[in-house]
Amino acid sequence: MAVQTNAALPDGIEIGGYRIVKKIAVGGFSIVYLAEDNAGNSVAIKEYMPAQLAARVGLKTVSVRSVHHRETFDAGLRSFINEARLLAQFKHPALVEVFRFWEENQTAYLVMPYYDGQTLKHFLTAN
């Protein structure tokens, strides 16, 4: 399988019962997508994908770039899951709600509400 330099999941692919619509944000350790559930409801899916440590192999699978990065990648994955598990316990306006989280394709995902609108970063740079 070929390693993809563009680490994002392709538009239209299904993951965990959700269809990826498009990539909406990339951070140092994750990618966030706009997705739809089977009923057509919009959600945001955050995928653990530390670009410095891992690459996409095939369409979905994440692979560590080097055995030297394995320990760091695994520690980050555990942290990502622990954060999702913790956030899923709360429903508070100051915290993002986590509907669901799971591990698959040698990485992890969490599903959150999708809020349409301008990002805080865009707002701050525009004003």
Side-chain angles (χ1 to χ4, degrees), residues 19-24 32-36 42-44 114:
R19 185 182 62 79
I20 299 298
V21 175
K22 66 179 180 176
K23 174 181 70 175
I24 55 176
V32 180
Y33 306 92
L34 169 60
E36 291 181 342
S42 294
V43 295
Y114 173 71

Side-chain angles (χ1 to χ4, degrees), residues 29-102:
F29 289 93
S30 64
I31 302 173
V32 180
Y33 306 92
L34 169 60
E36 291 181 342
D37 65 14
N38 292 330
N41 300 309
S42 294
V43 295
I45 296 180
K46 184 176 184 180
E47 176 187 36
Y48 176 66
M49 180 52 152
Q52 296 294 332
L53 306 175
R56 180 116 24 230
V57 179
L59 293 177
K60 296 180 182 178
T61 304
V62 172
S63 178
V64 178
R65 291 182 185 273
S66 164
V67 293
H68 303 295
H69 298 312
R70 172 54 65 188
E71 189 176 327
T72 304
F73 178 89
D74 289 347
L77 181 61
R78 284 191 306 273
S79 180
F80 185 91
I81 289 293
N82 288 338
E83 179 183 347
R85 183 176 288 117
L86 182 64
L87 287 171
Q89 296 176 32
F90 298 101
K91 189 165 186 166
H92 187 277
L95 298 172
V96 67
E97 185 176 2
V98 173
F99 297 143
R100 176 180 171 213
F101 62 93
W102 74 99

